[in-house]
Amino acid sequence: MKDGKRVFLSGVNQAWIAYGYDFGDKQYYSRKSQFEHYLKLVHDNGGNSVRVWVHIEGATSPHFDGNGYVTGLDKTGSFINEFKEYLKAAHKYNILIFPCLWNGAQNHQDVHYRLDGLIRDTNKLSSYINKALIPFVNAVKNDPALGGWDIMNEFEGEIISGQHNADSCFDTSILKAGGAGWAGAMYSAQILLRFVNWQADAIRRADPHALVTAGSWNARDNTDKLNTHNLYSDHCLRKAGGKQEGILTFFSTHTYSWQGKYDQYAPFKHRASDYGLGKPFVIAEFNQVKGAGMDITAQFNYAYNNGYAGAWSWHIKADGSDTDSTDNQLRGLRSLRGKTDQSKGGVVNFSL
């Protein structure tokens, strides 16, 4: 909601210029022109939001000491000013920024040990929260271009699937046949949910009005309907980490076809209400190239017309595999430009 009206987050995943090396230690300044180029493209084609990856696996941000404890957002102390510059540019183009802190979809052994320490060791996680996350939130929480926070991208990449547990929150039996754990089955559901819970709690204590999510790999993990269970529910997050404020204010998921078809849980086969969430639901990654034959304009319009709170295509820089071209994503954005229907997605273009 904005100014009393429903809004629809129509946008893209940045997600990076240089994976793991975009913010901190003055790295942003050599990427600034590219970041601003994509902000302008999104604005000029009718988009209003961008999801951007920040720490990822901890390659350069935050800064760790030799024992795996976080000492600050970066080594030189420039991180906050860099990110504020990015937000300033986003404000200029009326773009809301949603920083995604961590990535669970890949495991680069040369740097992942840093993130691993935060996931497994609550003392190390506390050092990140106190020395980096809370200062980050406090520095940008009043910026009009800050949209919200995504704690972790697809933690299912590193989850141990097939674990039986009497508590459905921590039972991953249903994930066994689906491919979860592709980046290395290292962590139980409980440990990963605690990781999300503690950070969400810190963000919401520092900024009670913050929007917070965690991008799931598959909508199957976001619902207690459809013969599955919601790993990301308030109940499960609180049970895992014990922090009462450590819950998500909106849900988000990613959806790609497999062998040319969407699975039975895919958002493009359901209305948002089918998941029974009681909170906004954003399709935070999708594209045409893995869209089961759907054109990208059909995908954006399906999300707008079927109760979702937003749609972010993958990904605007268009490098690597399984991404639409930049031009095709912009074509998708243009299909929603100027829409205002309050009975559907709502207002797409607004001033910050």
Side-chain angles (χ1 to χ4, degrees), residues 14-18 21-23 27-42 50-53 83 86 89-90 93 97 316-317:
Q14 177 55 59
W16 56 76
I17 300 299
Y21 295 87
D22 283 330
F23 298 100
Q27 295 175 119
Y28 174 73
Y29 301 117
S30 64
R31 326 262 191 252
K32 179 178 178 180
S33 62
Q34 292 174 275
F35 271 114
E36 292 195 13
H37 167 70
Y38 290 115
L39 289 172
K40 185 176 188 301
L41 285 180
V42 172
V50 169
R51 177 176 177 250
V52 64
W53 293 18
F83 207 84
Y86 182 49
Y93 291 112
I97 300 300
I316 194 65
K317 188 168 182 277

Side-chain angles (χ1 to χ4, degrees), residues 121-318:
D121 188 330
T122 55
N123 290 322
K124 291 178 179 177
L125 178 57
S126 292
S127 74
Y128 165 70
I129 288 171
N130 293 325
K131 298 292 184 64
L133 181 58
I134 291 175
F136 188 9
V137 176
N138 283 334
V140 301
K141 64 184 180 182
N142 294 320
D143 195 298
L146 179 71
W149 303 85
D150 186 338
I151 304 297
M152 191 175 198
N153 177 72
E154 298 184 4
F155 72 37
E156 296 92 340
E158 298 176 339
I159 203 169
I160 301 170
S161 64
Q163 280 195 325
H164 294 278
N165 193 302
D167 192 321
S168 63
C169 287
F170 311 135
D171 190 304
T172 59
S173 302
I174 196 168
L175 303 182
K176 186 174 183 179
W182 69 87
M186 295 178 284
Y187 312 114
S188 68
Q190 185 169 5
I191 288 176
L192 287 166
L193 290 171
R194 180 184 68 195
F195 184 68
V196 173
N197 171 255
W198 279 38
Q199 291 174 85
D201 176 79
I203 291 170
R204 297 186 68 225
R205 283 188 291 108
D207 180 9
H209 301 294
L211 299 179
V212 182
T213 193
S216 76
W217 159 59
N218 189 302
R220 171 186 57 199
D221 303 341
N222 290 108
T223 180
D224 290 318
K225 308 291 186 181
L226 309 179
N227 297 313
T228 181
H229 64 267
N230 186 357
L231 286 172
Y232 296 83
S233 69
D234 297 357
H235 169 71
C236 290
L237 285 167
R238 285 170 170 152
K239 178 165 282 190
K243 307 287 189 182
Q244 290 303 299
E245 294 301 313
I247 60 174
L248 309 182
T249 62
F250 72 100
F251 293 105
S252 60
T253 194
H254 309 159
T255 187
Y256 299 102
S257 61
W258 173 252
Q259 296 181 339
K261 296 180 180 179
Y262 281 128
D263 68 21
Q264 62 183 308
Y265 309 104
F268 293 119
K269 299 184 82 170
H270 293 278
R271 290 186 56 81
S273 58
D274 292 347
Y275 299 96
L277 297 176
K279 295 183 183 183
F281 198 17
V282 171
I283 307 174
E285 285 186 22
F286 68 96
N287 57 29
Q288 179 176 314
V289 71
K290 279 200 163 185
M294 289 183 74
D295 185 85
I296 197 163
T297 60
Q299 292 172 315
F300 270 102
N301 279 273
Y302 187 97
Y304 183 87
N305 292 325
N306 285 277
Y308 295 95
W312 296 327
S313 61
W314 183 265
H315 71 294
I316 194 65
K317 188 168 182 277

